Amino acid sequence: YSDPHCASGRDSIVHLFEWKWTDIKAECERFLGPYGFCGVQVSPASEYAVVTNPNRPWWERYQPVSYNIISRSGNEQQFRDMVTTCNKAGVRIYVDTVFNHMTGSYSGIGTGGNHFDGGSCSFPGVPFGSQDCNGRDNCHTSDGSIHSYSDPIEVRNCRLQSMADLRLSKEYVRSKIAEYLNRLIDIGVAGIRVDAAKHMWPGDLQNIFSRLHDLRSDIFGPGKKPFVILEVIDMGGEPIKMTEYVGTGRVTNFIYGVKLADMFLRHSNQAKWLANFGEAWGMPSTYDVVVFLNNHDNQRGDGGGGDPITFWDPKPMKIATAFMLAHPYGFPRIMSSYRWNRNIQNGHDVNNWEGPPHNGDMSIKDVQVNADLSCSGDWVCEHRWREVYNMVAFRNVVAGTTLTNFHSYGDQVISFSRGSKGFIALVGDDSSLNSNINTGLPSGDYCDVISGNYENGACTGKTIHVDGSGNAHININGHSDDPVVAIHIGAKV
Ligand code: ARE
Ligand code: CA
């Protein structure tokens, strides 16, 4: 469950948060395939509550009503089309799945027209009834909701934010969830993100996964298990640990992004300590984690998981992304966001509920792309920033090498090599770097893929000369917009 089944030579995924299936399909063909992305994490695909107060928040997608594939992103046919086209382009699809719970404690109608009543656990679209939710017998808080994260029984058996909590110990409930996941697998997805995994017993998850089909052998080859990303927020202060879930899939390493934010955003920690970043910092094995700078929750100040670097801080974002993609630890996920009317009052963003760019009828807006590869309107498309997509290619080129040659030249100024295939240097504060550095690379002229693109054998940015002993003169001003130099053997001029 920890192999993402990337097509060969690919190694990063992007979360296209709230994108429509038709747009993701187009993106696989026109961009993600050609630029070497392994895959896409897509927003929840199955029916969920239509919330109108506030009006169509992004978070309505996390309140399932049935497992029919029908959402603001599109219907089942469009979903199937996306999966088929993306696989043909060499790009995998991982679906965000929500099966810890159903809706909050109110009644209404779902995106597919099914009625629901979360209070009584009534979901005729599945169908689930009151006996399919946890209750007084195994959740002992007065109102049935989670109040304390220090009691693992409460966290697993009570309602997360009052949402109807599924009784995953039941055969029928397990079979319905496995049926949905198998439908996704048979369509051709490569894996899933498991929302709120911390709120489910590891044994229940293992039971459900043991029922899953192998991935489609016509696409992935025989005997392949789906990739599983378990959302477990473990910042170190609670009894429930990431390690309980390791082995059941890869866990989300939230501490990773927060540590990098401490360095490149807050300067409260020092990049020079990154020399042994990874397991030596008490983090799980590189093979057991997904790493990322921010996700759809903590980028809007929500959901625990710390205060991260986001697109609202473009410079730290580019520096930290370059570091993440150059560094061998973990399997990287890039967040691709939309802008909303951020409005922080007393430390809280009162508009952080706002859904994706939409038309008058609340349908999600198409993603339009510009000639310079950026996106228009409020789609941020971090994955289309030059510093980001060129580092996705860097990571593909240096795959299989180890980190060597780590040096620091000040608290926030570092460089390292990936064997003899790639080299990166960065300045994470207002200082500068002006040195002769051993890059570990064969002699030649290389395109700095941060300042420009490598196109038809030429470089639109800085060219870096590596001499016969592997040394190069590296000059970076920390005040510049892009205080990073990155070169690799796939971009020699
Ligand atoms: C919304 C309303 C609620 C309402 C509920 C039901 O905001 O007021 O009660 O609906 O009507 C998202 C939003 C929620 C939203 C929910 C459903 O963030 O605001 O609720 O969708 O629409 C915990 C969990 C972790 C979870 C975070 C948010 O452990 O799994 O909370 N993250 C995932 C997703 C979210 C999603 C859900 C789960 C729910 O990524 O996008 O919620 O499906 C400590 C702990 C953390 C804990 C955190 C909570 O840090 O260590 O484990 O995270 O506190 O603050
Ligand atoms: Ca639960």
Side-chain angles (χ1 to χ4, degrees):
Y1 304 108
S2 57
D3 179 349
H5 307 297
C6 298
S8 100
R10 297 171 186 257
D11 202 29
S12 318
I13 61 173
V14 54
H15 179 195
L16 296 179
F17 180 52
E18 287 278 7
W19 282 42
K20 290 192 295 186
W21 309 148
T22 46
D23 281 326
I24 295 176
K25 169 184 166 176
E27 190 71 351
C28 284
E29 284 190 299
R30 71 188 166 201
F31 188 79
L32 301 173
Y35 282 82
F37 285 75
C38 163
V40 187
Q41 178 182 315
V42 307
S43 285
S46 63
E47 180 176 16
Y48 50 84
V50 173
V51 173
T52 50
N53 184 23
N55 202 12
R56 309 307 303 268
W58 62 268
W59 45 253
E60 64 178 15
R61 293 180 88 127
Y62 292 91
Q63 300 191 36
V65 166
S66 81
Y67 300 125
N68 302 335
I69 299 179
I70 172 96
S71 70
R72 250 180 127 182
S73 288
N75 60 29
E76 176 160 350
Q77 193 46 50
Q78 292 163 329
F79 180 86
R80 286 176 179 274
D81 234 37
M82 165 187 75
V83 173
T84 306
T85 303
C86 289
N87 276 323
K88 280 197 188 122
V91 181
R92 306 310 184 203
I93 298 292
Y94 311 97
V95 184
D96 197 348
T97 57
V98 186
F99 53 83
N100 168 64
H101 54 263
M102 303 296 282
T103 69
S105 298
Y106 57 99
S107 59
I109 199 156
T111 46
N114 279 302
H115 287 269
F116 65 86
D117 182 355
S120 59
C121 191
S122 165
F123 299 96
V126 181
F128 282 145
S130 57
Q131 67 290 348
D132 299 318
C133 280
N134 290 320
R136 296 257 170 244
D137 62 317
N138 61 0
C139 161
H140 305 300
T141 62
S142 55
D143 60 356
S145 280
I146 300 168
H147 297 286
S148 162
Y149 277 89
S150 60
D151 177 359
I153 297 176
E154 182 173 330
V155 174
R156 268 73 175 250
N157 296 349
C158 296
R159 289 175 172 238
L160 170 61
Q161 295 177 325
S162 87
M163 294 182 280
D165 200 59
L166 289 174
R167 194 176 284 270
L168 298 179
S169 56
K170 262 190 84 176
E171 169 60 30
Y172 174 73
V173 176
R174 291 171 170 179
S175 73
K176 280 307 205 186
I177 294 166
E179 185 185 302
Y180 171 50
L181 302 182
N182 279 330
R183 210 160 67 243
L184 297 175
I185 287 169
D186 295 345
I187 289 173
V189 310
I192 55 174
R193 167 192 184 258
V194 178
D195 181 72
K198 180 196 241 180
H199 301 273
M200 299 185 269
W201 295 98
D204 288 341
L205 290 175
Q206 282 152 16
N207 181 291
I208 291 168
F209 298 157
S210 73
R211 301 164 187 246
L212 298 185
H213 300 165
D214 287 347
L215 297 182
R216 276 179 51 169
S217 57
D218 58 331
I219 303 168
F220 302 98
K224 298 285 173 25
K225 295 291 172 206
F227 181 49
V228 175
I229 304 174
L230 299 156
E231 189 226 2
V232 181
I233 302 176
D234 173 6
M235 308 299 284
E238 294 172 16
I240 297 178
K241 305 285 180 218
M242 283 185 268
T243 48
E244 286 179 63
Y245 291 86
V246 160
T248 313
R250 285 194 187 233
V251 293
T252 49
N253 184 345
F254 279 84
I255 291 180
Y256 179 99
V258 171
K259 291 289 179 201
L260 294 186
D262 287 342
M263 296 166 190
F264 300 121
L265 187 63
R266 292 181 281 275
H267 304 304
S268 61
N269 199 339
Q270 298 172 355
K272 67 179 181 202
W273 304 125
L274 289 169
N276 64 350
F277 198 46
E279 290 89 347
W281 286 47
M283 306 195 293
S285 150
T286 180
Y287 302 107
D288 291 328
V289 292
V290 170
V291 296
F292 46 95
L293 298 182
N294 66 89
N295 78 347
H296 68 281
D297 292 323
N298 65 7
Q299 73 167 201
R300 27 180 67 68
D302 241 21
D307 230 344
I309 303 173
T310 70
F311 69 89
W312 297 108
D313 301 297
K315 183 172 162 178
M317 165 82 196
K318 292 170 191 171
I319 299 171
T321 304
F323 173 83
M324 172 173 83
L325 293 172
H327 194 275
Y329 178 77
F331 183 63
R333 179 177 67 189
I334 292 150
M335 178 70 198
S336 188
S337 318
Y338 60 81
R339 256 174 241 103
W340 68 97
N341 299 299
R342 190 164 72 146
N343 180 5
I344 299 173
Q345 310 261 351
N346 303 320
H348 172 71
D349 180 358
V350 294
N351 287 336
N352 71 359
W353 59 270
E354 286 185 0
H358 54 267
N359 304 303
D361 63 356
M362 296 312 283
S363 61
I364 299 180
K365 275 204 169 143
D366 292 347
V367 175
Q368 310 269 355
V369 297
N370 305 318
D372 67 357
L373 295 184
S374 66
C375 294
S376 59
D378 285 329
W379 298 104
V380 182
C381 292
E382 294 94 312
H383 66 291
R384 281 173 164 268
W385 294 4
R386 181 185 67 240
E387 300 83 348
V388 177
Y389 65 74
N390 276 342
M391 289 306 295
V392 165
F394 177 109
R395 188 178 191 84
N396 293 341
V397 168
V398 305
T401 65
T402 54
L403 189 156
T404 46
N405 260 340
F406 187 99
H407 292 291
S408 60
Y409 315 85
D411 289 346
Q412 309 290 2
V413 187
I414 60 172
S415 71
F416 60 87
S417 307
R418 290 294 303 273
S420 54
K421 292 187 169 174
F423 167 83
I424 184 172
L426 62 87
V427 175
D429 59 12
D430 286 345
S431 65
S432 59
L433 174 63
N434 195 356
S435 299
N436 255 326
I437 300 178
N438 188 274
T439 63
L441 267 58
S443 68
D445 289 319
Y446 293 83
C447 182
D448 165 30
V449 297
I450 298 293
S451 59
N453 285 323
Y454 177 68
E455 283 164 10
N456 310 319
C459 185
T460 64
K462 282 186 255 179
T463 296
I464 305 287
H465 179 73
V466 174
D467 70 19
S469 41
N471 292 328
H473 186 81
I474 305 293
N475 188 357
I476 302 174
N477 180 345
H479 289 284
S480 65
D481 285 340
D482 273 328
V484 182
V485 162
I487 55 178
H488 62 77
I489 57 167
K492 247 180 140 174
V493 297

